[in-house]
Amino acid sequence: MDLLFDHIEQHYPLSSAAREALAENFEEQVLAKGKFLITEGRVCNHLYFLQQGALRGYITVDGKEQTNWFGFEEHFITSFHSFITRQPSVENIQLLEGSILWSISKAQLTRLFDKHHEIERLVRIIYEKYYIRLEERYVNAQLRTATERYEHLIRESPHIIERVPLGHISSYLGISPETLSRIRSRF
Amino acid sequence: MDLLFDHIEQHYPLSSAAREALAENFEEQVLAKGKFLITEGRVCNHLYFLQQGALRGYITVDGKEQTNWFGFEEHFITSFHSFITRQPSVENIQLLEGSILWSISKAQLTRLFDKHHEIERLVRIIYEKYYIRLEERYVNAQLRTATERYEHLIRESPHIIERVPLGHISSYLGISPETLSRIRSRF
DNA sequence: GTCTTTTTTTGACAATTGTCAAAAAGCATC
DNA sequence: GATGCTTTTTGACAATTGTCAAAAAAAGAC
């Protein structure tokens, strides 16, 4: 739980009262590789903090998987669309490694917003940061050639190659596994 | 200004005290077609509400313009990355039509967060909505063929074609103007 | 270790898209 | 209307990427 609060402090420093209130509402969760945190069709009512491990979020388009993001240690994770709208998720979140997470329900979090203004501020600030991160992902996805997108990926997150099967990376880059293999073969 | 508060009420109903505080801090701005709301290299310190008109946000990559979004009536607009980080904008925001906007500075808004919890809540909720809208844009941008992306665009926002030059639409879809022209020629 | 299954690579070919150049159409201004 | 200027279209060709099939490599199960 220390890692969770270390991460929170990086965004906004909380009073000890707010920290304790949060601590009471987070629950630890340990999941094995290959399992799903969220599957499409179900409403996602929880926000997760990934303490240890790796996940990916993907949707199914024409029977094929399209990976939208990879998540590693010390990030908040959820199926945001479902969490926000309370509608069934279109996204699947899968464990790429055995992972340790902390979860809090939307109802609990909303209750804390009323009790502690600073917790709502924290979440507002986290949304800001996550928004601009998503913007960056969007801009990179728009890069013209697959080679540029791949180069950008290994430049920004070189560790990804060692932790994620290439098939998922190709679906993240929006190309076929064959094309990714050919790009990699010419360095 | 009525439109601004109509829009706000759709997200979260404010007390009259909060509404008045907001009203005091928004300023009207009228800009002509072709002008820029924000240019790259400058810090964007304001959040804008577009009451009437049309804009686009784009970045410059290898000397070419890459349109990231179009903005029409009744949306909040800013160069989010710059507004949030207080760093120089990489994005340009250009007026596609003569437009009427309402602006509030980041400093003023931040001051209001401390005075009125509900205004910070409103902004938190707006971020949620804008986040999932950006997610949708991301997913659509990942569609395999340019034809699919074009079809999706005219299905979701058919009005766009009448208000935006095709050159900007092709740069939004990530294709050359020639390719867009050919896609359109076969309906 | 061997066997099985999954992932990655390679080859051949087709489809999609980009680039360059020129023509056509549209839009201002006079 | 005629005149420039910008946008859009069309043609020819090259580059990129996808698809299908099969081989090679890697990862798991026993």
Side-chain angles (χ1 to χ4, degrees), chain A residues 31-39 55 93-97:
Chain A
L31 286 168
K33 180 175 173 176
K35 299 273 183 209
F36 287 85
L37 190 60
I38 288 143
T39 50
L55 329 161
I93 300 184
Q94 188 184 28
L95 283 275
L96 296 175
E97 303 172 0

Side-chain angles (χ1 to χ4, degrees), chain B residues 3 15 19 28 50 52 54 61 79 81 88 96 106 108 115 119 128 130 139 150-151 153 166 182-183 185-186:
Chain B
L3 266 173
S15 70
R19 197 161 34 230
E28 196 173 8
L50 179 58
Q52 177 59 252
V61 183
S79 172
H81 187 277
L96 296 176
K106 174 153 182 161
Q108 286 168 308
K115 277 198 193 160
I119 293 182
E128 289 185 345
Y130 280 49
V139 169
Y150 176 72
E151 283 174 347
L153 181 69
L166 292 172
R182 290 189 175 103
I183 288 170
S185 74
R186 41 174 217 265

Side-chain angles (χ1 to χ4, degrees), chain A residues 82-93:
Chain A
S82 175
F83 184 76
I84 290 164
T85 64
R86 298 170 191 270
Q87 291 183 348
S89 175
V90 290
E91 194 171 56
N92 303 277
I93 300 184

Side-chain angles (χ1 to χ4, degrees), chain B residues 47-96:
Chain B
L47 179 68
Y48 299 89
F49 175 78
L50 179 58
Q51 177 180 311
Q52 177 59 252
L55 330 159
R56 69 169 183 132
Y58 70 90
I59 59 174
T60 313
V61 183
D62 303 332
K64 287 180 189 169
E65 295 179 1
Q66 182 186 102
T67 301
N68 288 327
W69 50 265
F70 298 108
F72 300 99
E73 292 79 18
E74 295 184 57
H75 284 102
F76 282 103
I77 280 156
T78 188
S79 172
F80 281 101
H81 187 277
S82 176
F83 183 76
I84 291 166
T85 65
R86 298 169 191 271
Q87 292 184 345
S89 176
V90 290
E91 193 170 56
N92 302 278
I93 301 184
Q94 187 184 28
L95 284 275
L96 296 176

Side-chain angles (χ1 to χ4, degrees), chain A residues 143-179:
Chain A
L143 289 174
R144 307 181 196 313
T145 67
T147 307
E148 285 178 297
R149 297 198 294 279
Y150 175 74
E151 282 174 347
H152 188 278
L153 182 69
I154 52 173
R155 187 158 9 96
E156 296 298 310
S157 341
H159 58 283
I160 239 174
I161 302 293
E162 286 124 47
R163 295 178 74 174
V164 180
L166 292 173
H168 294 159
I169 291 177
S170 67
S171 100
Y172 175 76
L173 295 173
I175 55 178
S176 65
E178 293 93 331
T179 299

